[in-house]
Amino acid sequence: MLAPSVLTFLAFIIFPIVNTFVAAFSTVDNLGRIESIGSLRNFQTLAADPRLPGIVKQTAIYAGGSVFAEAVLGMVLALILNSDFRGREWAKALILIPWAMPFAVAAMTWRWIFHGQVGALNYVLISLGIIQGPIVWLGDPTLAFTAALFVEIWTSVPFMTITFLAGLQSIPAAIYDAAKIDGAGPFREFLDMTLPQMRTVVMIVTLLSILWAFNAFGIIWVLTRGDPIYRTDLVVTYLYKLAFEQSDFGAGFALAVCIFVVLMIFSLIYVKVLSVEEEQR
Amino acid sequence: MRTSWLKYLGIIVVLLPMVVMSLFPLIVMISTSLKSPAEVYQWPPVFIPREPTLQNYSDIWTVANLAAYFRNSLFVALGATALVMLLAVPAGYALARFRFRGRGFYMLFLLVMQMFPGIVIILALYRVVAAFQMTDNLVTLIILNAAFGLSFAVWLLTGYFSSVPAEVEEAAMVDGNSRLGAMLRMTVPLSAPGLVAVGIFSFIGAWNEFLFALTFIRSQDKLVLTVGLWKYIARFQVEWNYLEASSFLVTVVVVVLFMLVQKNLTRGLIAGAER
């Protein structure tokens, strides 16, 4: 009964992974076909690429920055939503909207909001007197990168929030009663009671969103396409450009292998964290 | 209450702005979709159109190839959903009911696969698809979407099937049903809400997919919605009123489906689950 699913994974995921490795260590033509196996040339080409260090750095900032912002925002929102107030269910549903929207469509709308002349962002900021004239948000490297990071955070905060919320709701109420008797304030209560209970959830969610930063292809491709001058490219978009725009499949395969190895490391930590949690139950 | 001032501060300073932020693109989308072309590029822009019109919603069917995009997206998403169910139901059932060597490993594999980004193997897939001459074919998208949605589906279904007690099946088998009969008559119907949720997740996943559609589809009349609309904005002068009207229609479909299943969302990813 498992065979159909196993075969599907073997054919469409495992085989391409193996294939990627073989191709990375081979010489390939400009359509990605293997010419001869056993070569480090692709990795040498990649290492010599002057653009790569900048793009790796951008990816690290993108992953780190988005995870940090999402975790903080998600936690604060979860704490608020975990308390009782009128309109809570509505707030919860509305907070989820960014996650439900197809990200390609959301990114297109953000592109319109960031429009350099008549965009809604320019309008709002000018009306509030924060900026004097319209800003071409996606034309400036730093602003465009910040915009992309913002959209990434925007799409991922909902997941963080409801996961943290689920975590908060699984904390037994009894431990808070003890804290109340001790007269602990809300911040002490959070640091001493809530956070230790949430440790595993926080770790899992953080790891997951690092992995998701490697799924950011669609957001970047739609919003900036890596422009201006590769300053909003991430390794995942650059990999695509190497192969399909610069016809350098060899370097593309080599980069794919590097990304795969990084992903595997994070995945193994993730599995480790999960199995530790399992044992504690 | 001691913490109430903090709570209300949080609601006003954090929650309210976040809700507005969440809705902002949707508001801009709806607002733009109701504007005339002249009003779209007007400065200062307004959020509530002075002369709201539904013209865009009727124009988009002729201006862009929207009907074809919708048909293709629907075909791909439904196809992928059907394929996922076909593959995932037996797998989830086996993982829920039987203990065998390698089961734990397979569950871990499924867990890791859930966040595996397609981009890592896109070059290898490109070659495979080209070798089988399956480029520019919607069936390719169905297969790839199904393969990538499968791990989450199997994982969820394993949980749902596990929650149906084995005794229910055994009772049915005592009544003369085969194992397959017991599974189809008892366990599957009892897990119906789970099956629906998994189906909807698969549908949403395929409906929203961008990378494979971008890579493997070439002809205009085979484009799906995500890439079709994106190609539209890549053109010189964007008619945002048309684009946002189309975007709104695309979004409504998934937001409605999403709200139906959002309660199940954290289940697959967080739950260490019944292993």
Side-chain angles (χ1 to χ4, degrees):
Chain A
M1 294 174 99
L2 283 177
S5 67
V6 173
L7 287 176
T8 308
F9 287 128
L10 282 177
F12 297 104
I13 291 169
I14 306 298
F15 172 72
I17 291 175
V18 175
N19 203 291
T20 302
F21 269 82
V22 174
F25 291 96
S26 306
T27 53
V28 294
D29 66 8
N30 58 6
L31 284 172
R33 284 179 299 226
I34 295 174
E35 284 167 340
S36 72
I37 294 178
S39 157
L40 284 175
R41 208 180 67 188
N42 296 329
F43 288 92
Q44 285 157 354
T45 314
L46 194 63
D49 187 332
R51 290 197 200 98
L52 195 65
I55 288 166
V56 170
K57 198 174 130 202
Q58 278 152 218
T59 310
I61 298 174
Y62 190 87
S66 60
V67 169
F68 180 75
E70 287 156 21
V72 172
L73 280 172
M75 183 59 88
V76 173
L77 283 173
L79 287 168
I80 296 171
L81 289 171
N82 196 34
S83 64
D84 257 323
F85 58 90
R86 268 183 60 189
R88 189 174 81 125
E89 291 307 312
W90 272 100
K92 229 160 91 180
L94 294 179
I95 286 283
L96 284 179
I97 296 262
W99 196 8
M101 278 174 80
F103 61 85
V105 169
M108 277 182 253
T109 302
W110 278 110
R111 196 163 140 170
W112 170 224
I113 293 170
F114 290 132
H115 192 281
Q117 283 115 40
V118 296
L121 180 64
N122 275 329
Y123 171 63
V124 169
L125 292 183
I126 290 174
S127 316
L128 294 174
I130 295 171
I131 56 174
Q132 300 307 313
I135 291 178
V136 186
W137 299 98
L138 301 179
D140 172 85
T142 313
L143 289 178
F145 186 80
T146 313
L149 191 57
F150 174 85
V151 175
E152 172 74 31
I153 295 167
W154 180 83
T155 55
S156 311
V157 163
F159 170 76
M160 289 279 195
T161 308
I162 60 161
T163 313
F164 283 149
L165 190 58
L168 286 173
Q169 284 166 350
S170 68
I171 299 176
I175 64 165
Y176 289 112
D177 296 342
K180 289 218 174 71
I181 294 165
D182 292 346
F187 291 106
R188 271 257 74 85
E189 187 183 288
F190 175 73
L191 287 177
D192 292 348
M193 301 284 149
T194 312
L195 214 49
Q197 293 279 329
M198 294 280 287
R199 220 186 54 205
T200 327
V201 175
V202 172
M203 276 177 79
I204 292 172
V205 170
T206 308
L207 282 165
L208 275 177
S209 48
I210 291 174
L211 291 169
W212 274 343
F214 290 92
N215 272 318
F217 176 86
I219 290 176
I220 300 286
W221 205 255
V222 172
L223 194 68
T224 65
R225 215 169 190 274
D227 293 338
I229 46 162
Y230 298 96
R231 290 290 291 278
T232 60
D233 262 313
L234 305 178
V235 283
V236 286
T237 51
Y238 193 56
L239 155 74
Y240 203 80
K241 286 183 175 175
L242 277 176
F244 296 115
E245 284 177 7
Q246 301 170 16
S247 292
D248 194 348
F249 268 77
F253 278 121
L255 185 55
V257 164
C258 298
I259 298 173
F260 181 81
V261 170
V262 173
L263 283 176
M264 270 298 108
I265 294 170
F266 281 114
S267 301
L268 288 176
I269 303 174
Y270 172 66
V271 166
K272 187 82 201 147
V273 171
L274 273 183
S275 50
V276 168
E277 186 207 26
E278 195 88 345
E279 278 162 24
Q280 285 170 347
R281 267 192 206 161
Chain B
M1 288 298 281
R2 195 162 37 86
T3 52
S4 67
W5 64 271
L6 194 62
K7 191 171 89 182
Y8 288 109
L9 187 74
I11 291 175
I12 292 165
V13 177
V14 183
L15 185 64
L16 220 55
M18 286 302 289
V19 169
V20 172
M21 200 60 96
S22 296
L23 288 174
F24 192 61
L26 204 60
I27 295 167
V28 170
M29 194 184 276
I30 296 170
S31 153
T32 308
S33 76
L34 298 175
K35 288 180 182 175
S36 64
E39 209 177 355
V40 168
Y41 280 101
Q42 208 167 57
W43 186 268
V46 286
F47 283 109
I48 299 163
R50 284 187 200 90
E51 289 160 26
T53 166
L54 286 173
Q55 190 63 37
N56 297 322
Y57 285 94
S58 63
D59 283 354
I60 45 179
W61 303 98
T62 50
V63 176
N65 213 354
L66 200 68
Y69 301 165
F70 255 101
R71 208 166 45 235
N72 296 337
S73 272
L74 212 57
F75 175 69
V76 169
L78 287 175
T81 306
L83 190 53
V84 164
M85 295 313 267
L86 202 68
L87 297 166
V89 168
Y93 182 80
L95 288 166
R97 281 287 179 266
F98 307 121
R99 295 291 172 271
F100 50 88
R101 267 187 59 189
R103 180 178 175 278
F105 175 79
Y106 196 51
M107 293 296 282
L108 279 183
F109 172 78
L110 292 174
L111 196 64
V112 172
M113 276 314 306
Q114 282 174 33
M115 55 252 170
F116 187 77
I119 184 82
V120 175
I121 55 170
I122 194 73
L123 305 187
L125 284 175
Y126 180 77
R127 262 191 1 201
V128 174
V129 170
F132 283 96
Q133 300 188 324
M134 289 285 284
T135 310
D136 210 21
N137 190 334
L138 290 173
V139 175
T140 305
L141 296 187
I142 292 183
I143 295 171
L144 291 179
N145 278 315
F148 271 79
L150 189 57
S151 49
F152 186 58
V154 174
W155 184 269
L156 277 182
L157 283 176
T158 305
Y160 288 119
F161 288 147
S162 299
S163 63
V164 177
E167 289 77 29
V168 174
E169 261 176 51
E170 281 152 19
M173 280 156 80
V174 170
D175 291 345
N177 282 295
S178 64
R179 174 142 217 139
L180 185 67
M183 171 194 163
L184 292 177
R185 286 204 192 88
M186 303 305 299
T187 309
V188 170
L190 282 171
S191 325
L195 290 171
V196 172
V198 172
I200 292 180
F201 277 125
S202 310
F203 184 92
I204 295 176
W207 182 264
N208 291 355
E209 204 281 328
F210 182 77
L211 174 65
F212 296 144
L214 175 73
T215 311
F216 296 115
I217 300 301
R218 291 274 165 269
S219 4
Q220 267 294 324
D221 60 334
K222 285 184 188 156
L223 289 175
V224 296
L225 282 163
T226 47
V227 176
L229 295 184
W230 174 76
K231 290 227 158 136
Y232 188 76
I233 61 166
R235 296 198 322 210
F236 178 64
Q237 172 83 16
V238 185
E239 282 129 336
W240 286 100
N241 48 321
Y242 291 147
L243 189 73
E244 295 305 296
S246 319
S247 297
F248 183 67
L249 295 182
V250 179
T251 305
V252 163
V253 175
V254 273
V255 169
V256 169
L257 289 174
F258 188 89
M259 289 302 163
L260 293 176
V261 289
Q262 46 103 349
K263 283 194 189 69
N264 305 289
L265 264 172
T266 46
R267 211 171 151 150
L269 291 163
I270 284 300
E274 311 71 1
R275 201 171 300 162

